[in-house]
Amino acid sequence: MEAFTTHTGVGVPLRRSNVDTDQIIPAVYLKRVTRSGFEDGLFAAWRSDEHFILNQEPYKAASVLVAGPDFGTGSSREHAVWALMDYGFRVVVSSRFADIFRGNSGKQGLVAAQCSQSDVELLWKLLESEPGTPVTVDLTDKTVRAKDLVAPFEIDDYTRWRLLEGLDDIALTLRHEAEISGFEGNRQTWLPTTDPLPAV
Amino acid sequence: MSRTLAEKVWEAHVVRHGSGAEPDLLYIDLHLLHEVTSPQAFDGLRLANRKLRRPDLTIATEDHNVPTVDIDKPIADPVSRLQVETLRRNCAEFGVRLHPMGDLEQGIVHVVGPQLGLTQPGMTVVCGDSHTSTHGAFGALAFGIGTSEVEHVMATQTLPLRPFKTMAINVDGALKPGVTAKDIILAVIAKIGTGGGQGYVLEYRGEAIANLSMEARMTVCNMSIEAGARAGMIAPDETTFDYIKGRPHAPSGADWDAAVAYWQTLKTDDDAKFDAEVHIDADELTPFVTWGTNPGQGLPLGANIPDPEQIADENERVAAEKALAYMGLEPGTPLRDIHVDTVFLGSCTNGRIEDLRAAADVIKGKHVASGVRMLVVPGSMRVRKQAEEEGLDKVFLDAGAEWRQAGCSMCLGMNPDQLAPGERSASTSNRNFEGRQGKGGRTHLVSPLVAAATAVRGTLSAPADLEN
């Protein structure tokens, strides 16, 4: 995973709440077996409308998405994060994220920056009145900055540390292999396994 | 110290406690796989030259992409076919047991696990699918994960996680006839909202929950994610033990006694405190349906479409306006006046034998309204077989419904079973998001009883409406 310290890019205001992962990427795009090239599925239904904000200049080139509350609800599909990143987004700002989406973002290096709804509203107004305004997201001091606006955001300390260091979760866990083996040795013997049963 | 059910199961699976900001490392007892969220995880293992640590705690089936007709022929859509074939190759390479299309144990992953007796109280169960919360009906801690986490579990059989908060959902009183588990959970979601459960494990409690069958409990827990919760749980009791006993992977003999002795400890201590509590009065509940484009936008069937102008919160008002525009509905319209084109009975929410029996009971001797198509899709091939042994297939076919093979089907637009743009459905599935059942499709979430009555009348209806 690529380390993330600070990012500056065009911000796009998405005035919608409850943006579920079916909207971020419809199921029909989930049939692929590769891990790249999901940008065409991002907001596919909405992007077919020429008036959709991501179809407008200068928002087309945005890399910071500022969305309404309850972003990423619904399906666990990590494809939602891949689609956002493949399109070029590095940060999503919202006042509330769905848990699985937030977790998936942290694994992939997409920053899910949780701001207050009032700061989200201020960002929306700024990005609408001055399209193309660069937005800086600084993970070291946990702020979103645009023009004179400085909005603090929340992100859990462990995810922040991993993102700053660009660390792979699995490698971190495998440092504790001995403890995992120890735990396994003490599991109840009656717990089920998926080993095929003899035919009866 | 007194603990909740969720906290007990959590503690029993901590491999190591994290210090400071570091999460706990939690052991995973059962990992369920399907074709959609696993290929990139298997690829990740290969790239890092890692093994799948516990194939004996892992099981796979094919569900999201599979067609529900002509399953003896190759899948027509080449992209879907490749995804299913990739799962078969990966399972063969990594030694994972797979139930492919045509197999008696094939079906929706959340129907298959419990049916085989693999889901048991006190276990941790994960799957790259948000409806993994279903398995919490057994008193398991079960939750959906993303593909990175799927890979993590494959490689380590653990997940780094911070403890969830706990919320009690107390459903007191008794359900009236014609009111079901689906109505309970739709009412819960309408009450706490699609974000109300974020960060929480919900524990469903109270008289109405204790009186539910195992399959009805699965319906309730299944949709916990629709309230934003990571998981939903119900403390195991005799109903749970009776359901598990004798299933292929259930413990037997002395193991059974030891397991039951442990399972009986899996309940929230009397003086344990939840981080939040919600009360629902089961006596007050009536059949519930959704009118909008998220599962929180629901109302009793007797209500009218709400007027966005009357909604104070700006975000909710805008959401309601957008929902009504998408759904093609006018404020003030009685929900009972809404005509549907399609009725879908199935999914991991309501595709089990009891769901099929309940719907068959309503539709028996009647006919699907003209211009309406009804798809009946068993949750697994075993459910299908059982239904056929009971003659339910005949009931549905005689009523003019279609009797299909097992799969996720019209719950999500990933296989050939989809709504056309503008088409409207009454669906026993779990999500009414824009385009969920096919681009431009309009979904009303309902119980199996409402689905069956709606199929007969052609408008959103409860079984009682058929008697007038």
Side-chain angles (χ1 to χ4, degrees), chain B residues 412-425:
Chain B
L412 86 173
M414 235 187 138
N415 55 68
D417 303 342
Q418 300 200 20
L419 294 180
E423 212 182 328
R424 186 181 301 281
S425 76

Side-chain angles (χ1 to χ4, degrees), chain B residues 232-273:
Chain B
M233 297 178 89
I234 294 172
D237 58 11
E238 290 303 321
T239 303
T240 321
F241 310 152
D242 290 347
Y243 181 94
I244 296 170
K245 192 161 195 175
R247 291 192 180 265
H249 288 274
S252 58
D255 280 348
W256 172 261
D257 297 335
V260 170
Y262 173 62
W263 296 344
Q264 280 167 337
T265 69
L266 296 172
K267 52 187 164 209
T268 293
D269 296 327
D270 288 341
D271 49 351
K273 262 195 79 65

